[in-house]
Amino acid sequence: MSLATQPKHEDEDPVKTVGDIEPTGPHPAPLEQLEGSGKYALAHRTKISAIFTVVFSGIALLSDGYNAGIVGNMNLLFAELYPKTVFSSTIKTRISNSFFIGEIVGQLFFGVLIDRIGRKAGVLLTTGALILGIIISAAAHGTTDIGLFWMLIVGRGLAGVGAGGEYPVCGTSSIEAADETAFVRKRRGFLVAMIGDFAIDFGFVVAGIIPLIVLSAYGYGIHSTGTYGFEGTWRICFTLGLIPPLAVFYFRIKMLNSTAYRKNAMKGTRLSLKVFALAFRRYWLRIIGTCACWFLYDFCSYPFGLFSSTIIGQVNPNNTIIQNIGWGTLINAFYLPGCVVGGILMDRMGRKRTQAFGFALQGVIGMILGGALAKIQTSTGAFTVVYGIFLAAAEAGPGVATILIAGEVFPTAIRGHMLGFAAAWGKAGAAIGTQVFTPIQNAFTDEFKGQQAVFLIGSAVSIIGAIVTVICIPNMSRELENEDEAWRAYLEANGVDMSDVGEAIEASASSAIKNELKRED
C-alpha cells in the first residue's frame, strides 16, 4: 500500500509523488532502527552528532547573517570617511555584491561537494574559507583608497564563498539530523526555522547592535558629528565576524555524517550525467519551483534589509548615523517574530501553504505601505512598525520555508546539489535586487516617488512568488526515507546500478568513535 492511500497524521501534508514510482512506508526513525538492531553505541554517537550538527549549524548561519548584514551599516561609515569620488555608488554596490557573488560560488561548489565526498568535509572547508575571507576584509589596505576597497571586495567575496557554502552544508545536515528521531521529525519545520532563517536574521540584528557598541566605545554619541573612530569601528566590526566560525570549528571536526547520508549516498562517479538527466526528468517542476521562489524572496528581502538604515535616513534626513543604524536595526528585529510564527505554521499548515501565505501577505502589506507612504512616513515610529511587519510577513513564509522545502523535496543522494543550486538562485536574486534597488529609486526625480516604486515592485514580486509556490511546490511526506526509496526504485527501473549506495560509518568517524564502535562489535 502506498503512502497516498495510507492514513496520515493530522499534522502531516498529503503526499503527492512524482513519476510512476511511489514511496512505501511509514518507516521507523533512524535512531529507533539502530537501537532496535542493538547498535547502542552508534545510536548514541549519532544522536550526539545530530545535536551538535543542529546547534552549530545555527551558529554558522548566524555568522552568515552577521557578515552579510554588517556591510549595510559600514557603508554609512564609508560614506563619511571617503569622498564620493572614492566611495562611489559603483564601489558601494560592488562591496555589497561581492559577498553575494561569493555566496553563489560557495553554494554551487559546496552543494556538489557534500553529495560527492560527504557533509563533514564540506563543513570544514566552508568554515576555513569564511575565516580567511573575514581576515582579508578586516585587514584591507592599499596604496590608495581605491586599492583598499578592492582588497575589501576580494575579502568579502572569499568570505561569501564560505558563507554561501554554509547553506547547502547546514541545510542538508540539519534537515537530515532532524530526521533521526520521530519526535524531532514532527517538529522539523520549527527546528529548521530556528537554526536557519532565525539564526541568519538574528545575525542581521547583531550586525546593527555591534556597530553601536563599538562607536559608543570610541565616545561617539547619538548627536556626535565627525568621523573619529569610524575606521577602527569598521575594522573591528568585520573582525568580530570571526568569532562564530572559530567557535564551532573544533566541534565540527567531531561530527558524523547523518544516517540518511550513510544509507543513501551516491559518492564520486556514481552521480553520473545519466543520473542527473533522470533527476531533471523526475524533478524538473520542483527544481523550477524551489529556484524561482528563493530568487523572488531574496530579490526583495536582502535589499530591503540591507538598506533599511539608508531608507530610514531618506525618510528622516536629519537623523544622525547612530539614529539611522538604530532604526534600521529595529526594523531588522521584526524578522525574528516572523521566523517564529513561520516555524510554527510549517508544522501545522505544511511547508507549501506557509510559503504561499507569507508571499501573499507581504505583497498586500507592501501595496498598503507604498500607497499610504506619504502619511506613514510623517512618523518614524509608524513607518518603522509598518516596514518591519512588511519584512516579517516574508520571514513567516518563504523566509523559513525556502531552505526546508529545497531540502525535503529531493532525495538525500542529490540534496546538496539541489539545495545549493536553489540557494544560488536565491543569492542571484539578492545580488540583482541589491544592484537595481538604488537605480530604481534614482530613476525618479522625486525621492518620494522612488521610495513608493520600490515598495510596489517588491509587492508585485511577492505576489508572483505566491503563484509560483502554488503551481510548482508539492506537499511532501515528513519522512525523508520515503523520497529516498522512491528515488532508488526510479533509478533501478531506468537501469542504474544501486548495489553500491551509501558509505561506512568509518568515512566520517573520528578515531575515538571508531574504537568505541569496535568494542561494541
Side-chain angles (χ1 to χ4, degrees):
M1 182 170 62
S2 73
L3 280 177
T5 57
Q6 286 179 351
K8 60 184 181 64
H9 299 294
E10 290 183 359
D11 66 343
E12 190 171 12
D13 298 335
V15 177
K16 295 179 181 178
T17 57
V18 181
D20 298 326
I21 299 173
E22 296 187 359
T24 58
H27 306 88
L31 283 181
E32 295 170 2
Q33 296 180 39
L34 290 174
E35 292 171 350
S37 60
K39 297 180 179 179
Y40 297 107
L42 180 55
H44 174 71
R45 285 294 186 175
T46 299
K47 181 178 181 180
I48 296 299
S49 179
I51 294 172
F52 276 1
T53 296
V54 169
V55 172
F56 295 122
S57 290
I59 295 173
L61 289 173
L62 183 153
S63 174
D64 181 28
Y66 176 86
N67 285 293
I70 193 67
V71 72
N73 293 320
M74 295 305 97
N75 282 341
L76 295 175
L77 305 188
F78 292 145
E80 298 295 323
L81 277 171
Y82 302 98
K84 290 184 178 180
T85 54
V86 174
F87 187 66
S88 62
S89 60
T90 301
I91 289 292
K92 176 182 176 181
T93 301
R94 284 173 178 167
I95 291 173
S96 299
N97 278 352
S98 61
F99 191 79
F100 292 138
I101 293 169
E103 283 191 303
I104 293 171
V105 173
Q107 287 160 343
L108 292 172
F109 176 74
F110 287 105
V112 171
L113 194 72
I114 61 174
D115 282 341
R116 293 181 178 272
I117 69 172
R119 310 317 194 207
K120 180 176 179 178
V123 161
L124 298 178
L125 290 172
T126 57
T127 307
L130 180 59
I131 290 171
L132 181 58
I134 294 172
I135 291 172
I136 293 173
S137 299
H141 278 81
T143 56
T144 65
D145 289 338
I146 289 292
L148 180 150
F149 280 119
W150 274 110
M151 184 173 175
L152 178 60
I153 289 168
V154 171
R156 291 283 299 168
L158 182 57
V161 171
E166 294 287 2
Y167 278 78
V169 166
C170 294
T172 57
S173 298
S174 58
I175 288 169
E176 290 164 9
D179 196 58
E180 297 285 6
T181 70
F183 177 82
V184 178
R185 177 187 286 164
K186 293 179 180 179
R187 296 159 180 82
R188 184 164 60 230
F190 184 78
L191 180 66
V192 173
M194 293 300 99
I195 63 95
D197 202 48
F198 184 92
I200 294 170
D201 292 342
F202 187 64
F204 269 86
V205 174
V206 174
I209 295 173
I210 292 298
L212 295 177
I213 295 173
V214 177
L215 284 170
S216 177
Y218 274 105
Y220 198 92
I222 190 169
H223 297 298
S224 297
T225 58
T227 61
Y228 174 72
F230 279 20
E231 180 168 356
T233 296
W234 75 256
R235 292 188 185 278
I236 290 171
C237 288
F238 279 133
T239 303
L240 290 175
L242 283 170
I243 295 176
L246 288 174
V248 303
F249 192 77
Y250 171 78
F251 297 98
R252 288 180 141 186
I253 295 174
K254 300 295 184 181
M255 69 176 281
L256 292 171
N257 286 329
S258 67
T259 303
Y261 184 79
R262 299 198 302 262
K263 184 175 181 180
N264 299 289
M266 297 178 67
K267 299 174 72 173
T269 57
R270 281 174 287 183
L271 286 171
S272 63
L273 288 177
K274 178 181 178 179
V275 169
F276 283 107
L278 291 170
F280 182 78
R281 191 172 77 182
R282 179 174 173 82
Y283 297 117
W284 66 271
L285 188 62
R286 299 184 189 186
I287 294 171
I288 292 173
T290 53
C291 292
C293 288
W294 215 329
F295 178 94
L296 295 170
Y297 162 67
D298 277 4
F299 181 88
C300 287
S301 176
Y302 270 81
F304 278 118
L306 282 175
F307 295 118
S308 57
S309 297
T310 302
I311 293 171
I312 287 290
Q314 292 172 344
V315 172
N316 287 277
N318 295 323
N319 281 355
T320 64
I321 284 180
I322 295 289
Q323 288 172 317
N324 286 337
I325 293 176
W327 282 112
T329 302
L330 179 60
I331 287 173
N332 286 337
F334 278 86
Y335 283 131
L336 303 180
C339 295
V340 175
V341 172
I344 295 171
L345 291 178
M346 282 198 296
D347 287 330
R348 296 188 178 184
M349 291 173 54
R351 287 53 157 149
K352 176 178 180 176
R353 287 189 288 272
T354 299
Q355 180 166 288
F357 171 75
F359 265 133
L361 183 60
Q362 185 182 46
V364 171
I365 295 173
M367 289 179 185
I368 294 172
L369 186 56
L373 187 60
K375 293 183 178 179
I376 296 173
Q377 72 174 7
T378 57
S379 168
T380 303
F383 177 80
T384 300
V385 170
V386 179
Y387 189 13
I389 294 173
F390 169 76
L391 297 176
E395 297 310 287
V400 295
T402 46
I403 191 168
L404 184 58
I405 289 173
E408 288 185 336
V409 301
F410 300 110
T412 299
I414 57 172
R415 181 170 294 123
H417 283 74
M418 297 305 182
L419 197 155
F421 187 60
W425 274 95
K427 283 302 174 287
I432 293 171
T434 304
Q435 182 78 36
V436 304
F437 189 93
T438 301
I440 288 174
Q441 283 193 300
N442 294 341
F444 294 83
T445 54
D446 185 344
E447 189 176 85
F448 171 76
K449 295 293 185 181
Q451 292 169 355
Q452 275 190 314
V454 294
F455 282 113
L456 294 176
I457 291 172
S459 297
V461 169
S462 295
I463 296 298
I464 294 171
I467 295 170
V468 173
T469 299
V470 172
I471 294 173
C472 299
I473 302 298
N475 291 308
M476 295 296 295
S477 165
R478 300 293 168 86
E479 296 182 21
L480 300 182
E481 181 62 20
N482 287 333
E483 192 58 42
D484 287 334
E485 279 193 351
W487 168 246
R488 289 195 299 269
Y490 171 72
L491 292 184
E492 288 174 345
N494 285 277
V496 177
D497 182 11
M498 301 296 289
S499 60
D500 192 28
V501 171
E503 71 165 17
I505 181 67
E506 289 79 11
S508 62
S510 65
S511 298
I513 294 176
K514 291 176 184 177
N515 292 333
E516 184 177 341
L517 297 178
K518 285 180 180 178
R519 288 194 297 270
E520 183 178 59
D521 292 338

